[in-house]
């Protein structure tokens, strides 16, 4: 296909456009449109950058554009019935031009459905995004047309029915002569190449997904051990998960039922009465107790079950589906008879090996039994646990929690969830995710609750760390703007004062005062430079370098400094091979560590400071060590040493170690410290001996 050919013969967008001021409506076909100025979109862009930071704002703009592209593609396919998908693909550029977003020119289009290959490239002329970014922020270091790349990604993905990705290869907002783009199959995600804020969010989400998968696996194992059917359906009633007991009871293997409607599990008369649909509709209002109902096996035989279903909702409250939990009542079902010694032994062995805490409690929250995971999580010794309570162990209080949801389990017979926490004796607050499930006797009465407990302290701490990163991104951008505004006036003031001082004769008191003012300006300049260094992304230019050469350069630089007078600065050259590093940045890190060591010394302290290089014990990394014999870091300050704007000095910005960590992490390295028992502080920087293969 000629990419310059008209997208579709006879398609006249102008004829689809209509304005009806009497109704306050503008339409393009059936879709309502809005007239919004480019400057208004620019104002939204500025608000996003100021509230979220540049990296997160760029991601939000991309996602917004992608959603717009997906919806427009679905409308094109639905309203215009385009059979030729590549012709439909070329309608996207026409829409962009008609809507005033940009003039899109497609310069190359190569597609081979048989091979599964696809490639498309072109240019954007007059991109409103590039115009607005340059107006508001000036030239950027990265491409800025994020809604355009998002739109193209979503539009192409829906039109062609495969995951594609648009990348901006040149951008006027970055200082390039024009904007250019490519569309190709999307590669697998590489979180290590994301911005720091997004990488943190990615790993946080990954951990939460793993936790949910582990929870579902553990509960499935428990339900299988006690002969309980568990399966899930989506909002349409299509089966999406299926445990082993369900497969054995109904006679459907997972591959036979997954992706099919749960009507297959109901007798014909119940399907005719639309029982599956009615149960799912009732689930929108909350948990449904099904009571005793009939189900049908794959071989056509019927049996009875008792149970219910609980709604599964998204973050916006929308019903995503339901979890169905059923207990077979027919005595001839396959599996072990309930209450047999073999079943009890199997269940107990399984519970002991579930990698989570499981306990059984009465209505007054007294524990009657627990597994090994529960004991290990809370540090309980082997032996009876009668008398121990949930609230004492998980919340550290002497009476039931005021917001305890267990009454929902015993009175309503539904699942309950809470997140108790308490402060341990070592001063650390720990958090638990507690889920409670009703256990019924043969009469259907809830007699106990099954508590499923996970220690989620690491997840909570990651959430807080992510929020701190987000706030610091905002603070960093604000600091950079302030620093840019202050730096040039400071330089002008310093120069003017030096001229005035040069005109004063030696010994003039005013000359001395002017010199003190210049010294204060120099200190302000250091603060400004620290702010700028902290706010800029650390982009290391890695070159093979001997660590010992870096160490010698730092020692040579500092020995000529008056600050080192009276300090025995020593260097031990280890046999570390060449390491990919940015020499200038690593000199900055080591200089900062050595200056901190010098400034920490008190009168009477051993004034020997040692810098050494070498290789770690596992032989995989090179290391730099800085060791002093000063007072060490107070225990109360150790957790905040690398926090931006934290300092124990009378003068200082508190950014030095934060900048050091940022530089080291850009090298894929680690910076850490310890306070040895014999006094002082030892900092260690480790860098991988080889750059990762994907970075080469």
């Amino acid at each position: 296909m000629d990419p310059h050919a008209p997208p579709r013969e006879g398609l006249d967008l102008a004829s689809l456009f209509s304005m009806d001021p009497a109704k306050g409506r503008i339409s393009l076909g059936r879709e309502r449109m809005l007239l919004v100025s480019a400057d208004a979109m620019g104002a939204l862009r500025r608000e996003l950058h100021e509230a979220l930071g540049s990296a997160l704002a760029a991601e939000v703009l991309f996602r917004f554009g992608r959603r717009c592209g997906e919806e427009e593609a679905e409308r094109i396919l639905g309203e215009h019935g385009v059979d030729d998908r590549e012709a439909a693909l070329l309608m996207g550029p026409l829409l962009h031009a008609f809507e005033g977003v940009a003039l899109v020119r497609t310069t190359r289009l190569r597609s081979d459905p048989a091979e599964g290959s696809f490639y498309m490239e072109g240019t954007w002329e007059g991109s409103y995004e590039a115009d607005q970014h340059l107006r508001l922020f000036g030239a950027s270091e990265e491409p800025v047309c994020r809604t355009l790349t998002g739109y193209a990604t979503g539009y192409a993905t829906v039109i062609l029915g495969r995951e594609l990705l648009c990348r901006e290869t040149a951008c006027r907002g970055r200082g390039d002569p024009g904007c250019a783009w490519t569309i190709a199959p999307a590669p697998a995600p590489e979180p290590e190449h994301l911005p720091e804020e997004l990488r943190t969010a990615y790993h946080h989400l990954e951990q939460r997904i793993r936790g949910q998968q582990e929870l579902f696996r553990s509960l499935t194992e428990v339900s299988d051990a006690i002969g309980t059917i568990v399966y899930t359906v989506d909002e349409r009633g299509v089966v999406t998960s299926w445990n082993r007991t369900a497969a054995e009871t109904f006679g459907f293997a997972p591959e036979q039922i997954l992706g099919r409607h749960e009507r297959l599990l109901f007798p014909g008369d119940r399907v005719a009465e639309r029982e599956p649909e009615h149960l799912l509709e009732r689930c929108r209002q909350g948990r449904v107790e099904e009571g005793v109902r009939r189900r049908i096996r794959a071989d056509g035989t019927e049996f009875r079950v008792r149970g219910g279903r609980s709604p599964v909702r998204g973050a916006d409250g929308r019903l995503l589906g339901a979890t169905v939990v059923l207990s077979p009542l027919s005595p001839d079902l396959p599996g072990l008879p309930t209450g047999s010694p073999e079943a009890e032994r199997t269940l107990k062995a399984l519970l002991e090996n579930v990698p989570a805490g499981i306990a059984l409690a009465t209505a007054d929250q007294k524990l009657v039994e627990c597994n090994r995971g529960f004991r290990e999580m809370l540090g309980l010794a082997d032996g009876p646990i009668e008398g121990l309570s949930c609230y004492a162990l998980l919340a550290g209080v002497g009476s039931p929690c005021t917001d305890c949801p267990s009454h929902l389990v015993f009175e309503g017979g539904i699942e309950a969830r809470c997140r108790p926490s308490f402060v341990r004796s070592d001063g650390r607050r720990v958090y638990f995710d507690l889920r409670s499930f009703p256990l019924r006797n043969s009469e259907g009465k809830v007699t106990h609750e099954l508590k499923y407990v996970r220690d989620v302290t690491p997840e909570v701490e990651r959430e807080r760390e992510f929020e701190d990163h987000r706030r610091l991104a905002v603070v960093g951008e604000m600091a950079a703007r302030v620093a840019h505004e202050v730096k040039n006036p400071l330089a002008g003031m310093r120069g003017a004062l030096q001229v005035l001082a040069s005109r004063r004769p030696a010994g003039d008191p005013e000359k001395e005062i002017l010199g003190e003012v210049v010294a204060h300006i120099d200190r302000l300049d250091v603060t400004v430079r620290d702010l700028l260094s902290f706010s800029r992304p650390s982009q290391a230019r890695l070159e093979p370098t001997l660590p010992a050469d870096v160490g010698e350069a730092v020692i040579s630089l500092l020995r000529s400094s008056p600050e080192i007078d009276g300090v025995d600065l020593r260097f031990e050259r280890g046999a570390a091979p060449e390491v990919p590093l940015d020499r200038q940045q690593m000199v900055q890190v080591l200089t900062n560590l050595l200056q901190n060591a010098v400034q920490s010394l008190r009168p009477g302290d051993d004034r020997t400071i040692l810098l050494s290089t070498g290789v770690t014990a596992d032989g995989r990394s090179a290391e730099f060590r800085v060791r002093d014999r000063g007072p060490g870091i107070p225990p109360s300050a150790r957790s905040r040493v690398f926090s931006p704007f934290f300092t124990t000095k009378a003068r200082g910005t508190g950014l030095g170690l934060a900048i050091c960590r940022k530089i080291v992490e850009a090298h894929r390295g680690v910076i850490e410290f310890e306070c040895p028992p014999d006094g002082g502080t030892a900092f260690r920087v480790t860098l991988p001996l080889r750059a990762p293969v994907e970075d080469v």
Side-chain angles (χ1 to χ4, degrees):
M1 172 181 289
D2 180 5
H4 303 288
R8 184 180 182 224
E9 192 172 329
L11 180 63
D12 183 5
L13 289 175
S15 66
L16 300 176
F17 183 78
S18 65
M19 299 181 67
D20 189 349
K23 295 182 179 179
R25 190 177 185 91
I26 302 173
S27 301
L28 182 63
R30 299 176 188 173
E31 186 177 13
R32 183 171 185 174
M33 307 294 286
L34 300 175
L35 281 180
V36 179
S37 73
D39 284 355
M41 293 299 293
L44 175 62
R45 189 184 198 91
R46 181 179 58 201
E47 291 296 324
L48 287 173
H49 275 257
E50 292 177 353
L52 303 177
S54 58
L56 286 177
E59 181 66 14
V60 170
L61 290 168
F62 179 87
R63 288 174 178 269
F64 168 72
R66 175 166 184 153
R67 179 61 60 87
C68 293
E70 290 170 344
E71 292 179 355
E72 198 133 67
E74 289 167 357
R75 182 176 60 80
I76 288 289
L77 295 177
E79 291 186 12
H80 301 292
V82 180
D83 295 326
D84 187 339
R85 292 301 178 108
E86 291 185 4
L89 185 66
L90 293 174
M91 290 183 190
L94 185 62
L95 285 166
H96 264 346
F98 187 81
E99 294 167 352
V101 174
L103 176 59
V104 186
R105 297 189 185 278
T106 304
T107 58
R108 186 179 180 189
L109 175 60
R110 184 181 70 249
S111 177
D112 188 337
E115 294 182 358
S117 63
F118 179 85
Y119 181 80
M120 186 176 182
E121 67 180 33
T123 60
W124 289 314
E125 296 179 13
S127 162
Y128 91 94
E129 274 197 284
D131 290 343
Q132 290 298 318
H133 197 96
L134 289 170
R135 180 178 70 85
L136 294 170
F137 308 111
S140 171
E141 295 182 358
E142 300 292 335
V144 303
C145 299
R146 298 294 290 171
T147 60
L148 286 172
T149 53
Y151 177 96
T153 295
Y155 187 90
T157 294
V158 170
I159 292 293
L160 296 182
R162 57 182 300 189
E163 194 65 33
L164 299 170
L165 178 65
C166 176
R167 298 180 185 273
E168 194 172 15
T169 56
C171 182
R172 194 159 46 83
R174 190 176 60 180
D176 297 325
C179 298
W181 50 267
T182 63
I183 301 177
E190 300 180 21
E192 63 272 15
H193 296 312
L194 294 173
E196 182 178 357
E197 303 99 309
L198 298 183
R199 189 169 63 249
T200 302
Y202 178 93
H203 288 301
H204 166 64
L205 179 61
E206 187 179 53
Q207 289 296 323
R208 293 190 65 177
I209 291 173
R210 287 177 181 171
Q212 293 297 320
Q213 290 173 337
E214 183 62 31
L215 170 63
F216 183 79
R217 188 186 67 79
S218 299
L219 290 179
T220 299
E221 289 179 348
V222 172
S223 65
D224 283 334
I226 59 179
T228 300
I229 298 167
V230 178
Y231 67 90
T232 58
V233 296
D234 64 15
E235 74 279 6
R236 301 166 299 168
V238 174
V239 179
T240 54
S241 70
W242 188 250
N243 78 334
R244 188 178 70 243
T245 301
E248 294 174 351
T249 304
F250 283 98
F252 287 106
E255 60 271 18
Q256 295 174 309
I257 190 66
L258 293 179
R260 304 183 70 181
H261 202 282
E262 66 169 335
R263 297 189 196 96
L264 286 174
L265 312 177
F266 290 73
D269 61 325
R270 306 319 303 155
V271 174
E273 293 290 332
R274 296 183 59 80
E275 182 176 299
E277 289 80 6
H278 292 324
L279 288 171
L280 193 57
E281 185 60 34
R282 287 171 56 196
C283 207
R284 295 180 186 278
Q285 309 303 319
R287 178 174 167 79
V288 177
E289 290 294 335
E290 296 192 21
V292 177
R293 294 181 181 267
R294 291 182 294 129
R295 292 291 186 270
I296 191 169
R297 300 191 185 98
D299 61 9
T301 58
E302 292 189 11
F303 63 99
R304 295 182 304 142
V305 296
R306 180 199 302 273
R309 57 184 63 206
S310 299
V312 177
R313 302 187 186 278
D316 57 357
R318 183 173 61 88
L319 184 71
L320 301 179
T323 301
V324 183
V325 181
L326 304 172
S327 297
L329 299 180
S330 300
D332 60 340
L333 290 178
L336 298 171
T338 302
S340 73
E342 185 178 352
E344 292 180 2
R345 285 193 299 271
T346 301
L347 174 58
K348 187 170 184 179
L350 178 60
L351 292 178
E352 284 299 303
N353 289 283
V354 170
I358 296 178
L360 204 61
T362 56
D364 60 358
Q365 297 304 293
K366 299 295 184 181
L367 303 182
V368 296
E369 188 59 82
C370 68
N371 73 338
R372 183 173 59 192
F374 189 87
R375 292 180 184 274
E376 292 176 350
M377 185 182 301
L378 297 171
L380 299 178
D382 292 337
I385 62 169
E386 286 80 0
L388 295 179
S389 65
C390 169
Y391 48 81
L393 292 173
L394 298 179
V397 295
S399 58
C401 305
T402 55
D403 57 349
C404 178
S406 286
H407 67 280
L408 299 174
V409 177
F410 287 94
E411 297 172 10
I414 62 175
E415 174 190 344
R417 187 175 186 179
C418 62
R419 180 169 280 190
S421 69
F422 71 98
V423 179
R424 297 192 315 199
S425 57
D426 61 2
R428 185 189 183 199
R429 180 170 288 278
V430 291
Y431 298 84
F432 300 97
D433 180 37
L434 171 59
R435 294 191 177 194
S436 299
F437 304 89
L439 291 184
R440 305 174 186 273
N441 60 16
S442 58
E443 300 174 354
K445 181 182 178 182
V446 179
T447 58
H448 295 81
E449 66 173 309
L450 180 72
K451 294 182 178 291
Y452 183 96
V453 187
R454 289 172 53 239
D455 184 347
V456 294
T457 304
E459 295 176 20
V460 173
E461 291 176 345
R462 279 193 296 271
E463 288 174 1
R464 292 183 174 177
E465 182 180 359
F466 173 62
E467 180 61 21
D468 288 343
H469 282 175
R470 190 191 69 80
R471 290 175 180 171
L472 283 173
V474 175
V475 172
E477 290 202 5
M478 180 185 69
R481 293 184 185 183
V482 172
H484 277 298
E485 292 296 325
V486 170
K487 188 172 179 62
N488 290 337
L490 278 180
M493 292 166 59
R494 189 180 189 280
L497 289 169
Q498 286 180 319
V499 170
L500 291 175
S502 67
R503 295 175 180 175
R504 298 289 179 179
D508 189 327
E510 292 186 1
K511 185 179 181 111
E512 183 177 347
I513 293 173
L514 291 171
E516 291 178 1
V517 175
V518 170
H520 284 299
I521 289 176
D522 287 341
R523 280 194 290 272
L524 281 174
D525 187 58
V526 170
T527 302
V528 169
R529 280 190 280 110
D530 281 350
L531 285 171
L532 288 172
S533 181
F534 175 69
S535 62
R536 291 186 185 121
S538 293
Q539 297 179 339
R541 294 179 175 84
L542 306 183
E543 296 180 356
T545 308
L546 287 172
D549 290 349
V550 178
E552 288 180 346
V554 173
I555 293 295
S556 175
L557 178 68
L558 287 180
R559 278 180 175 157
S560 60
S561 171
E563 187 180 8
I564 307 300
D565 287 348
V567 176
D568 183 8
L569 195 59
R570 300 182 182 180
F571 175 59
E572 288 186 359
R573 182 186 182 107
E578 288 187 335
V579 179
L581 58 81
D582 185 314
R583 182 186 179 98
Q584 181 178 349
Q585 289 189 358
M586 204 49 56
V587 166
Q588 180 182 351
V589 169
L590 297 177
T591 300
N592 188 283
L593 294 179
L594 288 167
Q595 287 177 333
N596 284 351
V598 171
Q599 294 166 6
S600 72
L601 298 179
R602 304 166 302 185
D605 286 338
D606 185 337
R607 305 189 71 77
T608 301
I609 296 177
L610 176 65
L611 169 64
S612 61
T613 60
V615 178
T616 56
D618 60 10
R620 297 180 179 178
S621 303
E623 66 177 8
F624 298 90
R625 288 180 176 269
V626 175
R627 176 78 161 91
D628 67 62
R629 301 286 179 176
I633 300 172
S636 60
R638 291 174 187 174
S639 64
R640 304 175 62 193
V641 160
F642 295 107
S643 298
F645 309 110
F646 174 75
T647 181
T648 57
K649 302 175 186 177
R651 291 178 177 175
T653 62
L655 290 173
L657 288 176
I659 293 171
C660 287
R661 183 170 68 172
K662 192 174 182 180
I663 291 173
V664 172
E665 289 179 348
H667 284 70
R668 306 289 181 88
V670 176
I671 181 170
E672 54 194 349
F673 72 92
E674 62 177 347
C675 296
D678 58 342
T681 306
F683 274 86
R684 184 173 79 146
V685 174
T686 57
L687 304 177
L689 290 177
R690 293 288 181 270
V693 173
E694 63 268 24
D695 290 344
V696 174

